[in-house]
Every structure is written in structure tokens, then in C-alpha cells.
Amino acid sequence: MNGGMKVNLEQLKYVVEVAKAQSLSAASAHLHVTQSAISQSVQRLEQELHMTLFERSRSGTVPTPAGKAFIAKALDILQQMDELRLMYTEPDLMTGELSVAAFPSVMPHLIRTVAQMKQEHPLLSISIEEKGSMEIIRDIRSNKTQLGFIVIYDKELRSLGGLHFRPMHATRLMVAVNHQSELAKLNRISPAQLKAYPLALYRDGFIEDFVEEFTYQHGPLSILFSTNNAEAITTVLSGNIAATIGHDFSFYHHPLWKAGQLKLIELNVTEQPKMQIGFVQSESRELAVAAERFMQQCIHAMEAEQIQAR
């Protein structure tokens, strides 16, 4: 790199957010900064680096191979800054209990974060569960869970009174199929094509809402089964027995996606309600520092993997 180059934390935050959202407009909305300010900042950084960080097209703003490497380093720097901040707020050795719940597919990240936290704070007791988003919100309200990783409709964010929500990025529902499926040839799937193919669905309020609205507009789907067992969904996908519907974010962390055995297909239906993925916790929570520490470490791991996987 040029020895006279100046890169600031604001620029790093911008490029990371654009990479996460794959959209300048979405990054602008998440950061509450004008799109032109983000665009100009990214362009200045690219000029300083003498490299192209993003490929820009009508379909989105996607990191280049060189951009992915730079963004991975940027994520490391931002996490280190978070850790410096937490050094002056957290006790030397945390104790007590921390309960965490998340919707399916991010459990590997939770496990790795638990292992890291236990190394740093061996007297801290941590429990993790896999549940649907609405159940997680209910558990946090009743003090059964302290930190949750959820999906929520934008229109319902105001209903989280008494809870603090930290958004990561927007999400949408997509169809996932085995890469050998006849549907894998498609980039978008019509209602008629979706109705003709067997589906195994995770028992999730957002998916149930989609099925209800789809049935009202287009007729019933061919549902093989619904379940709250994520492994059952993985089994039918790996065996090319059925397709499934889920949040795009969750598939980016799925082992079959990482192995190149999944194809994600856009739903060619009426515009979906806007949804956000992020962490939620009680505003009057105990062990706020432990929850914050866990959240920061988990976010870093998930964002780094998500950017590299796309």
C-alpha cells in the first residue's frame, strides 16, 4: 500500500456495510448516512488503494476478490476497536449466567463464540438454544433468555417496546434446492413452478405468513412436512427429496451452501414485506456487558463468513 495513504474507521465501516447489504442504498439506510456520502467515501478509498473494491451493476454492489480480502481485514480492525472499547466497560473476569437463543443455521457461530468466551471468562455460564424468532422474543420478555438472534418485520420494530434491537442487515425469503434438482436451472421461480414441487418447511412465523399469503393468492403449496428440526430440512435438501423456503442469510451459513450443494432461487411473487435480522435483548437486562461481548464476537464471525461466502 502507498505509505502516504490515509484510511479512517468511517471508511472501513462504510465498505463493510456495503459488502453486507450488497447495496449502496441499503447501506445508506442502515447507517443513516446519505447514499452519495457513502459512494464518494468508497470511491476515494478505491483511489487511495489503487484497486476496485466492488463490482457495481443493476443487480447489486458485490465485493471483488481483492475487495473481499480488504474487507476481511477491515472487519478485523473494527472488531479490535470494539474490543478496546469493551476493555474499559467489562470486568476482568465475568461470572454468572448468560442465555442466548437464535433461529436455525447460526448455531455453529454461537458454539464458536461460546468457546471463545469461556476461554476468556471460565466462570461465566452460557446456555444456547435454537428457536423461532417470535418464541425468542417471548422468552426475552419473560426473562427466560437474555440475548436473541432473530428476524423481524420492519413494520413490527416499533412493537419491541422494552427491548433493544441491533439490526445487522435486511433479509428476504428464498427457495433453496439441491444443486442437482431440476429447479436448480432457475434463477427465479414462478408460483406455478413452486406449487408443483414438494417443500419441507421450518416451522417459522415468517414462513407461515408467506405460505398463508401465497395460498390466498395462488392456491396451496405441495408441503411434504413442516418441522422445528433444522436437521430434518438438511436431510431432505442433501437427498434432493424436496426444496425449502428460508431467509437468505440463514443459507449463507448452511453447511450445504458452503459445500456448493445448494442453489438459491428468488421468489417471483408479490413483493415481500421488508425484514431485518439482528440481535435483541431486554433494555433492563442483567449481565449487559456479557451479552454485549458475546454479540460483538458473534457478529464479527458471521459477517466475515457471509462476505467471503457470497
Side-chain angles (χ1 to χ4, degrees), residues 148-159:
F149 187 66
I150 65 167
V151 184
I152 188 168
Y153 291 122
D154 282 12
K155 63 183 180 182
E156 293 182 348
L157 287 172
R158 292 183 180 179
S159 68

Side-chain angles (χ1 to χ4, degrees), residues 100-115 126-132 136 147 149 202 228 230-231 249-250 253-255 258 279 294 298 301-302 305:
V100 184
F103 67 85
S105 82
V106 296
M107 191 57 67
H109 290 298
L110 297 190
I111 293 170
R112 285 193 286 272
T113 304
V114 168
I126 307 174
S127 65
I128 54 176
E129 291 186 282
E130 183 179 272
K131 293 184 176 182
I136 292 172
L147 180 65
F149 187 66
Y202 191 81
N228 61 357
E231 187 60 34
F249 179 90
S250 64
H253 301 277
H254 198 285
K258 295 177 186 177
F279 280 93
F294 189 98
C298 200
M302 287 189 289
E305 180 179 283

Side-chain angles (χ1 to χ4, degrees), residues 81-105:
M81 294 302 297
D82 285 334
E83 290 175 352
L84 283 173
R85 177 175 58 83
L86 287 171
M87 280 176 61
Y88 298 97
T89 59
E90 69 178 29
D92 292 336
L93 192 64
M94 286 187 282
T95 61
E97 298 180 356
L98 175 64
S99 55
V100 184
F103 67 85
S105 82

Side-chain angles (χ1 to χ4, degrees), residues 189-198 214 218-222:
I189 187 167
S190 69
Q193 290 169 321
L194 188 60
K195 286 170 62 177
Y197 205 83
F214 184 96
H218 308 289
L221 291 162
S222 177

Side-chain angles (χ1 to χ4, degrees), residues 143-213:
N143 295 319
K144 293 180 181 178
T145 300
Q146 292 161 296
L147 180 65
F149 187 66
I150 65 167
V151 184
I152 188 168
Y153 291 122
D154 282 12
K155 63 183 180 182
E156 293 182 348
L157 287 172
R158 292 183 180 179
S159 68
L160 290 177
L163 301 181
H164 174 70
F165 180 69
R166 173 168 176 173
M168 285 183 64
H169 59 77
T171 185
R172 57 181 174 163
L173 294 178
M174 298 189 76
V175 177
V177 299
N178 186 288
H179 70 295
Q180 294 182 336
S181 165
E182 60 188 54
L183 294 183
K185 302 174 184 177
L186 304 175
N187 291 319
R188 292 175 65 86
I189 187 167
S190 69
Q193 290 169 321
L194 188 60
K195 286 170 62 177
Y197 205 83
L199 298 170
L201 301 178
Y202 191 81
R203 203 169 292 140
D204 173 275
F206 302 92
I207 297 172
E208 290 169 357
D209 287 349
F210 170 82
V211 171
E212 181 179 352
E213 180 65 22

Side-chain angles (χ1 to χ4, degrees), residues 113-145:
T113 304
V114 168
Q116 184 176 353
M117 288 279 290
K118 289 294 286 186
Q119 282 186 338
E120 299 170 357
H121 305 281
L123 299 182
L124 180 66
S125 176
I126 307 174
S127 65
I128 54 176
E129 291 186 282
E130 183 179 272
K131 293 184 176 182
S133 295
M134 295 303 103
E135 187 178 2
I136 292 172
I137 291 173
R138 289 194 295 269
D139 284 353
I140 290 178
R141 290 196 184 281
S142 61
N143 295 319
K144 293 180 181 178
T145 300

